[in-house]
Amino acid sequence: MLSPLDPIALQRLLDQVAADAPSHFGEGKVADYIPALAEVPPDGFGIAICDVQGNVYSAGDGGKAFSIQSISKVINLVIAMQRLEEDDIWTRVGREPSGQAFNSIVQLEVEKGVPRNPFINAGAVLITDILVSRIMSIHWVLREQARRLAGNPDINFDARVARSEMDHKARNASLAYLMKAYGNLQGNVDEVLDLYFHGCALAMSCVDVARAFAFLANRGVSPLDGSVVLAPHKNRQLNALLLTCGLYDAAGDFAWRVGLPGKSGVGGGIVAIVPGQMSICVWSPRLDTYGNSVAGLRALETLVNGLGVAPLG
Ligand code: GLU
């Protein structure tokens, strides 16, 4: 166990975790249901930490951009929580773990078009619908939010990934149309999906993502520029939602193994929050059957054990 404030020991631990990662490179497979993601070389690994003072540490390909995919669902929700009333959001989407695959349609039919939470695909599409209907120039707002949070003006959408997702939209479109049939989703399905896919196609590195989400470890205040991203009670609510719903139907196992609020994406990224201390982002493209990065999960387990961080006791 070491003090997370000891920069040399922290860097050594990250280097060790990155050196261990290749031992898991044979396990899992890249998301191939989005063709542009299937082209990503499967055996990369990156990791980065941003502490609540804004110090950044990284190892491996921590500076290499990847497709953040579902991690963007958190950025969308932050925009909604910043700008809209609670009732505008939480009357249309729930706050319970789904226990179902991230792209499942089964529960949505049983529960009459109201998605369980904003981090499964149906819930994220619904949040996107709310944003499209309420916020002007929302593509621009979304990209600016990512840039401002990460302190990196070069962050952009990967247009090829967004197009590839649109070309293979059938399942997400079916979720959207089912919610529309129940009167929950209100906008034009293709417009809503276009924004949703652009968010998923944001290209960010582990360093970007760790910096962007460091506010969650810091009671809602960005350690990069001191700006208030979310009021403290909303920040706590978002961390609670990440702990219970952030890793699809493996959220319980992630809480068991890592014990931190987190969000994964099928691009192989996982962001995890150590409240009061730091945010961590890992990336490695091969996924387990739940859609979570195999080497990323292993790295997070090793890291939290090495750091001795245990906010749940
Ligand atoms: N763009 C992906 C999809 O809609 C995101 C899924 C994910 O990262 O979990 O299927």
Side-chain angles (χ1 to χ4, degrees):
M1 195 184 294
L2 61 91
S3 160
L5 301 178
D6 175 349
I8 295 173
L10 186 52
Q11 185 61 53
R12 199 175 303 135
L13 181 57
L14 286 187
D15 290 339
Q16 186 58 49
V17 167
D20 290 347
S23 62
H24 303 293
F25 279 175
E27 302 166 42
K29 64 183 192 67
V30 296
D32 53 8
Y33 73 101
I34 301 169
L37 290 186
E39 295 165 14
V40 175
D43 291 332
F45 178 85
I47 187 164
I49 282 177
C50 181
D51 69 19
V52 291
Q53 280 79 40
N55 302 308
V56 173
Y57 307 85
S58 72
D61 284 329
K64 181 175 165 176
F66 63 92
S67 188
I68 69 166
Q69 292 296 314
S70 272
I71 296 173
S72 67
K73 294 170 180 173
V74 188
I75 303 178
N76 288 340
L77 183 58
V78 167
I79 296 173
M81 290 175 80
Q82 284 172 329
R83 295 178 180 231
L84 305 173
E85 299 298 323
E86 291 198 3
D87 279 358
D88 293 333
I89 304 170
W90 304 114
T91 51
R92 294 173 64 188
V93 59
R95 299 188 293 251
E96 293 295 336
S98 68
Q100 306 276 323
F102 65 94
N103 56 4
S104 172
I105 200 167
V106 176
Q107 208 166 43
L108 197 59
E109 166 73 340
V110 175
E111 298 183 359
K112 303 200 178 341
V114 178
R116 273 286 172 105
N117 68 67
F119 297 146
I120 53 173
N121 283 15
V125 169
L126 202 278
I127 293 291
T128 313
D129 176 53
I130 297 173
L131 296 181
V132 166
S133 68
R134 299 295 191 92
I135 299 173
M136 300 270 290
S137 309
I138 180 62
H139 284 69
W140 183 87
V141 169
L142 171 60
R143 192 180 60 180
E144 283 311 299
Q145 177 79 300
R147 289 177 173 179
R148 193 167 340 110
L149 286 175
N152 178 0
D154 296 328
I155 288 170
N156 226 324
F157 303 119
D158 182 330
R160 239 171 55 78
V161 173
R163 162 76 16 221
S164 182
E165 295 208 52
M166 194 52 122
D167 288 345
H168 295 82
K169 67 182 177 186
R171 180 171 275 271
N172 284 313
S174 68
L175 297 172
Y177 277 114
L178 187 57
M179 290 189 286
K180 199 168 176 65
Y182 278 109
N184 195 9
L185 187 140
Q186 290 159 12
N188 172 286
V189 166
D190 274 353
E191 269 176 39
V192 171
L193 289 179
D194 187 66
L195 178 66
Y196 170 72
F197 291 142
H198 273 83
C200 292
L202 277 166
M204 296 170 69
S205 68
C206 290
V207 170
D208 290 330
V209 173
R211 284 164 60 98
F213 291 95
F215 76 88
L216 280 163
N218 197 37
R219 294 178 60 80
V221 177
S222 166
L224 306 185
D225 61 8
S227 62
V228 176
V229 180
L230 287 179
H233 75 282
K234 291 188 180 180
N235 197 66
R236 180 179 50 74
Q237 290 169 338
L238 184 48
N239 274 326
L241 209 56
L242 288 168
L243 181 68
T244 51
C245 309
L247 273 87
Y248 317 128
D249 43 341
D253 191 53
F254 185 72
W256 176 270
R257 287 165 62 181
V258 178
L260 299 174
K263 183 75 203 84
S264 60
V266 297
I270 306 174
V271 61
I273 308 301
V274 187
Q277 295 192 28
M278 65 185 79
S279 63
I280 307 164
C281 180
V282 288
W283 164 78
S284 189
R286 287 183 190 265
L287 310 177
D288 61 19
T289 50
Y290 297 100
N292 298 320
S293 169
V294 176
L297 278 170
R298 295 269 183 224
L300 279 171
E301 272 184 301
T302 307
L303 188 65
V304 295
N305 285 329
L307 290 170
V309 292
L312 299 181

